[in-house]
Amino acid sequence: MTAAAPLPVQDAATSPGAAASGAFRSNGWAALRRHPAGRAELLRWHADPALVARHARWGRPVYLASPYTLRAIGPDGGWSRDQSEAAMADAAREVARLLEVGVTAISPVVLSAAALHATMFPRLRIDPFAPVLWEDWCRPILSVCAAVVVPEIRGWAQSTGIRHEVASALTAQVPVFIYGGLP
């Protein structure tokens, strides 16, 4: 498969919509250790699907926060369908792991990548790297979910989008399950 024409890569932390969580973003993951949600047991490090299942089995869905932007960049610096498919497949595997333990997971990466792939001919019509667009699109999904799950997929710790989703969840007193440890 060939890559689409290069699109500029934007970090959500530098986007116009970043101001709402700028303090969290500037401190990164280390700020989570000091977040009041950590003391309220809303934030669980070294989680796994079984732990998520004990809290969210067949109830409201969970939000699967997985890396996309940095994973979907091809060798030419633009969006790559092949890289996008790999990111989507990794997220889909995590949805399946949660399904196996009775948890309904919604993956914005699976949904958005499928939409991008379906609308890319004759050209890519949706900017895969538009942080404000994707924040606005993900917000309603995040608001209906009972928890946020961050699987240990390559790139999760570098993802500005995931850090923003985690900060939004904790601010709303929504539990967060992170499979990895503090980056």
Side-chain angles (χ1 to χ4, degrees):
M1 308 232 165
T2 60
L7 292 169
V9 177
Q10 299 174 348
D11 186 313
T14 61
S15 72
S21 61
F24 175 77
R25 287 186 178 150
S26 65
N27 294 326
W29 289 105
L32 286 175
R33 289 281 189 218
R34 296 183 306 276
H35 196 288
R39 291 187 295 279
E41 296 189 15
L42 289 175
L43 179 61
R44 296 174 186 253
W45 296 93
H46 305 290
D48 60 19
L51 180 63
V52 175
R54 287 196 294 275
H55 295 276
R57 187 176 182 86
W58 298 129
R60 287 178 33 220
V62 300
Y63 183 102
L64 188 81
S66 60
Y68 182 79
T69 302
L70 296 174
R71 300 266 328 267
I73 298 171
D76 66 352
W79 180 80
S80 163
R81 181 181 176 128
D82 290 339
Q83 295 297 102
S84 176
E85 286 177 351
M88 181 174 68
D90 286 346
R93 275 189 288 280
E94 294 300 329
V95 168
R97 285 180 65 202
L98 288 163
L99 175 61
E100 289 172 351
V101 295
V103 175
T104 301
I106 298 173
S107 170
V109 165
V110 171
L111 296 171
S112 63
L116 288 169
H117 300 170
T119 63
M120 68 180 286
F121 294 107
R123 63 177 178 74
L124 191 60
R125 296 191 312 244
I126 300 169
D127 183 350
F129 303 133
V132 173
L133 167 71
W134 296 112
E135 279 185 34
D136 290 346
W137 184 80
C138 289
R139 190 175 298 112
I141 300 169
L142 183 58
S143 72
V144 300
C145 289
V148 171
V149 175
V150 182
E152 202 165 12
I153 293 175
R154 181 178 56 83
W156 75 270
Q158 295 77 34
S159 173
T160 303
I162 291 175
R163 287 194 312 263
H164 175 69
E165 292 160 340
V166 167
S168 296
L170 294 175
T171 299
Q173 300 292 299
V174 172
V176 175
F177 298 89
I178 299 176
Y179 291 2
L182 184 67

